Amino acid sequence: MYPRKTLPVNWTVLLGLVFVVFVPVCAFAQTTTTTASSSPTPVPPVPNPCSRFTAGSAIHNPPALHSQNGVLSVQFSYQTTTDSVGRQLYCFMTPSGLENPTLHVNPGDTLNITVTNNTPYSEVGDPDSDEPFNPPNCGDTVFELQNATTNSHGYNMTGGSMNIHYHGTNTTPGCHGDNVTKTLINPSLKSGSPASTFQYNIHFPTNEPPGLYWYHPHVHMLAEAAVFGGASGALIVDGINNVQPAVGGLSERVIVIRDLPFNVPGLSQTCCNSTNTKDGQIPQRDLSVNFVPLDTTAALDSNGNLVSVNYTPAVIYMQPGEQQFWRVCNCNSDAPLDLQVRFDGTPQTIQIVGIDAVPVNSQEGPQPPALIPVTHFRIPPASRVEFIVNAPPSTVQLAQFVTQYIFSGPIGDTLPTRPLLTMKLVSDDTEAADNRVPLSTGASTNHRMFGAISSVTPALTRTVYFEEYQDGSQFFVNASGCVTASGAQCPIQPYNIDTPFDNNNLPAFITTQGTVEKWIVQNHANENHELHQHQVHFKVLSQDNFDANCIPQPGTGNCGIQGSPTCQTCAPAINGQFLDMIEIPYCGGGPAGPPKMVNNKPVGPPIPPACVDANGNPSPAYPQVQLLVDFRGPTVGDFVFHCHILGHEDLGMMAIEHVKPNDD
């Protein structure tokens, strides 16, 4: 669930997050070649940043920037503003006024980004809370931790530290690369002093798969606030037409789904006894599509009970008989989506082209790869899916793109069915039809970065599991088991089980470049969690024990009936595919007990953990996924794996992994 103690409905007051003190240091270069300037020219703030559209508007492709001659150079001003209903917004602005543009590169290209943190500084007023980043560091080195349990001032969120994560890319985690644990770019120390400016040089491998990636801030304990405020954009490696000819000649629609606070003060699950156990309830948060909000409202009876929840979906235009190539990013901070196209309520088949920036069936087997037909697709937060969709016939009265109801566990979030887009037919000469954009093409390259993984014997099998305190105050990911291919025990994480993440933690494990590991990832909590791997991808082998953890409707013993919690069946279309995101549903056993208290602070695992019987055994067997994690690429250094429900990551559900060079 979104952290229950740290997310008030009024987002202008933010508790439990991080604010920054400016302390510059020299850049530290890890195992990468960089051309970054030691003193890049600051990017000035842009007037009127972070604009938004009105509910019911037609969506347009985000503005786009394309590489030329192997290089894309971009200047970003990171800014914040407050909208008319008090929502704190964040965005990346170019000097010409483009907001969160889509960045187009080719395999082998270099993306240079100079970013200045032009958000205002807010003094927390507690110098004892300064927390240093141990060296080596990139950029600034100290931030201040505001603890919601000891600080009742409710300081307004003003941006604080930021950095940029290039989600899904197989690029270096070295300094000036995709480094999130040691990179801080801070606002100015005080009015009139300079803000921090940092330069990224992201070098894409020549065999980077073509597809949809994205970028967003990723400072631990600030990631959720930044993404929730809208600071994200699409990143596309062009050339998917060279892998999947079926998309050649189609119009490209880049569809970015984000979450945001409601524009109705006080609208929440608690206002009307709303529940996550049935459809039609008040969602955890509002959604927007390409910055067109749903503007969720609720109708109540005279006693204040919920009657209905109402939405104003955005509009997307198509020509009669047209096929379009939709590139959809679940770029919201926390919520999974279950996407479906419906014509007059009837699910339609879509053809999956790519998942998490890897064309389906492209890494192994005959070429060109086969498309995957589905009638819905489950997409965790931060995941991306690309598919071919047909325009509705003229006889259809209502054509919609929706996210279906998801039951995310006994302590999970409220995720009802919601319309995202209304699909409308138009002729060529209408103004709205001008937004159709031909697919950007790229050079043909060797795209099989993860090929032949199935013929490799995994060097070891690693067990990883998610766990949390039942009150949502802390979240954990544990690398708890390790067995080599020969059956010998290998090292597990060098710190206690259920240790919350800290940027200065030791790596949870060390592995060697060139190896393949088998991971068994389990969920030991009463709500869904999602695994994201930075820098590398994994092949999905299986999804296990999902139905066994179904929670029956009270008094019936039945699962999956209308209006009750539904069984968490396997996600379609992902077995055998290469992803960087995967969802593991809740365990359906008993709740977790309290943690052990030491000096009035919770320490270690819940007692007892969730979903165990009287003998301490899992009951039923934990839901899990089995994966082949590919460390054979060029990436070495320290990077992370975590739950991409960012409220969970910010409260501890992340760990560092170290990949050493194969000649080390």
Side-chain angles (χ1 to χ4, degrees):
M1 180 176 285
Y2 304 124
R4 290 170 285 281
K5 290 187 174 181
T6 58
L7 290 179
V9 173
N10 183 354
W11 192 250
T12 61
V13 177
L14 186 75
L15 299 178
L17 291 178
V18 176
F19 297 82
V20 183
V21 176
F22 174 79
V23 181
V25 297
C26 295
F28 176 86
Q30 297 185 29
T31 53
T32 181
T33 301
T34 178
T35 58
S37 169
S38 59
S39 56
T41 302
V43 183
V46 177
N48 305 312
C50 309
S51 63
R52 301 292 187 263
F53 299 99
T54 58
S57 299
I59 68 165
H60 299 271
N61 278 349
L65 300 174
H66 295 259
S67 66
Q68 295 183 355
N69 300 318
V71 178
L72 175 58
S73 295
V74 180
Q75 290 181 304
F76 276 151
S77 170
Y78 184 65
Q79 294 185 232
T80 184
T81 190
T82 303
D83 70 8
S84 60
V85 295
R87 292 178 290 199
Q88 196 84 37
L89 309 179
Y90 296 91
C91 56
F92 295 96
M93 302 294 298
T94 70
S96 63
L98 302 182
E99 179 180 357
N100 299 352
T102 299
L103 308 178
H104 285 265
V105 298
N106 290 297
D109 281 359
T110 296
L111 172 62
N112 299 317
I113 292 183
T114 301
V115 58
T116 299
N117 186 346
N118 285 316
T119 61
Y121 176 75
S122 178
E123 176 60 60
V124 172
D126 183 7
D128 293 335
S129 67
D130 287 2
E131 181 173 337
F133 276 22
N134 293 340
N137 297 294
C138 302
D140 302 325
T141 62
V142 178
F143 66 85
E144 293 190 33
L145 174 63
Q146 179 182 335
N147 190 327
T149 62
T150 60
N151 187 330
S152 60
H153 293 82
Y155 297 100
N156 288 341
M157 174 69 180
T158 59
S161 185
M162 54 81 62
N163 56 27
I164 304 177
H165 172 43
Y166 303 87
H167 185 115
T169 66
N170 299 273
T171 56
T172 176
C175 193
H176 300 285
D178 187 19
N179 179 301
V180 300
T181 60
K182 295 292 185 178
T183 304
L184 289 172
I185 310 166
N186 293 343
S188 62
L189 176 63
K190 58 184 178 181
S191 177
S193 65
S196 290
T197 299
F198 190 81
Q199 186 168 326
Y200 283 97
N201 302 109
I202 306 298
H203 305 281
F204 290 83
T206 57
N207 60 347
E208 185 80 89
L212 178 61
Y213 304 79
W214 67 299
Y215 61 92
H216 65 87
H218 203 301
V219 174
H220 178 55
M221 291 185 286
L222 276 180
E224 182 186 40
V227 174
F228 190 35
S232 61
L235 170 60
I236 294 177
V237 175
D238 287 328
I240 196 168
N241 57 294
N242 297 313
V243 180
Q244 181 45 263
V247 302
L250 299 184
S251 296
E252 171 186 81
R253 306 305 297 260
V254 177
I255 298 172
V256 181
I257 302 170
R258 301 176 175 92
D259 53 354
L260 74 164
F262 299 116
N263 69 350
V264 179
L267 183 63
S268 70
Q269 295 77 32
T270 58
C271 83
C272 323
N273 297 317
S274 189
T275 174
N276 73 345
T277 60
K278 61 181 180 180
D279 203 353
Q281 305 297 288
I282 297 175
Q284 201 79 19
R285 292 177 173 176
D286 209 354
L287 295 175
S288 71
V289 183
N290 290 10
F291 286 134
V292 178
L294 284 184
D295 272 7
T296 301
T297 59
L300 311 179
D301 63 20
S302 58
N303 296 318
N305 296 313
L306 183 65
V307 175
S308 64
V309 183
N310 306 300
Y311 309 97
T312 305
V315 175
I316 190 167
Y317 292 100
M318 304 182 75
Q319 295 181 63
E322 182 186 19
Q323 285 188 323
Q324 290 186 356
F325 181 40
W326 288 13
R327 317 187 83 165
V328 179
C329 179
N330 183 357
C331 290
N332 75 59
S333 62
D334 293 283
L337 306 171
D338 193 354
L339 302 177
Q340 187 172 72
V341 173
R342 296 178 179 178
F343 294 170
D344 289 333
T346 301
Q348 301 298 300
T349 297
I350 59 176
Q351 301 286 336
I352 302 294
V353 175
I355 308 171
D356 288 355
V358 182
V360 295
N361 299 318
S362 67
Q363 302 299 294
E364 301 171 303
Q367 302 293 293
L371 302 172
I372 303 178
V374 298
T375 56
H376 73 106
F377 188 81
R378 183 76 166 253
I379 184 169
S383 186
R384 292 85 62 215
V385 62
E386 302 170 81
F387 55 88
I388 298 171
V389 61
N390 295 315
S394 60
T395 55
V396 170
Q397 299 297 308
L398 181 64
Q400 288 189 318
F401 183 49
V402 307
T403 177
Q404 300 188 103
Y405 168 61
I406 295 173
F407 177 62
S408 57
I411 58 174
D413 305 319
T414 305
L415 305 168
T417 299
R418 285 179 273 184
L420 300 171
L421 293 171
T422 298
M423 303 162 67
K424 293 187 176 181
L425 297 177
V426 293
S427 60
D428 272 334
D429 57 359
T430 64
E431 180 180 354
D434 292 340
N435 190 46
R436 289 190 298 273
V437 177
L439 175 67
S440 296
T441 60
S444 180
T445 62
N446 172 22
H447 59 271
R448 290 194 175 192
M449 174 174 280
F450 317 113
I453 194 173
S454 297
S455 63
V456 178
T457 300
L460 54 86
T461 297
R462 196 179 302 282
T463 301
V464 172
Y465 71 88
F466 296 110
E467 191 159 71
E468 65 179 275
Y469 295 156
Q470 202 75 7
D471 65 357
S473 59
Q474 284 190 346
F475 297 80
F476 315 98
V477 61
N478 297 293
S480 62
C482 184
V483 180
T484 68
S486 63
Q489 296 295 314
C490 41
I492 61 172
Q493 64 189 39
Y495 44 79
N496 293 333
I497 292 295
D498 288 357
T499 295
F501 178 78
D502 183 280
N503 289 281
N504 301 314
N505 282 356
L506 293 171
F509 64 85
I510 298 173
T511 193
T512 302
Q513 179 190 24
T515 61
V516 172
E517 297 186 358
K518 180 179 178 180
W519 282 30
I520 299 172
V521 185
Q522 300 175 335
N523 191 348
H524 294 193
N526 285 150
E527 64 176 320
N528 293 9
H529 292 296
E530 285 79 21
L531 174 73
H532 172 43
Q533 268 282 4
H534 284 221
Q535 320 308 133
V536 300
H537 279 64
F538 48 78
K539 180 179 181 179
V540 181
L541 299 179
S542 67
Q543 305 169 74
D544 309 325
N545 309 325
F546 286 15
D547 283 340
N549 284 274
C550 174
I551 297 177
Q553 185 186 39
T556 68
N558 296 320
C559 285
I561 62 177
Q562 184 64 35
S564 72
T566 56
C567 294
Q568 302 296 295
T569 54
C570 296
I574 67 170
N575 281 4
Q577 303 306 318
F578 291 83
L579 315 179
D580 59 60
M581 286 292 321
I582 192 167
E583 184 176 21
I584 305 95
Y586 63 87
C587 63
K596 180 181 179 181
M597 302 299 292
V598 177
N599 296 326
N600 294 320
K601 294 182 179 180
V603 176
I607 306 171
C611 306
V612 296
D613 60 22
N615 297 318
N617 298 314
S619 180
Y622 291 125
Q624 65 181 33
V625 295
Q626 298 190 53
L627 317 169
L628 291 179
V629 184
D630 195 347
F631 294 105
R632 295 175 299 165
T635 303
V636 296
D638 288 347
F639 46 95
V640 294
F641 59 98
H642 62 90
C643 178
H644 216 292
I645 296 175
L646 290 177
H648 299 175
E649 180 271 307
D650 279 341
L651 289 177
M653 198 170 260
M654 182 159 68
I656 298 170
E657 53 199 318
H658 177 77
V659 179
K660 62 182 181 179
N662 56 16
D663 57 357
D664 188 349

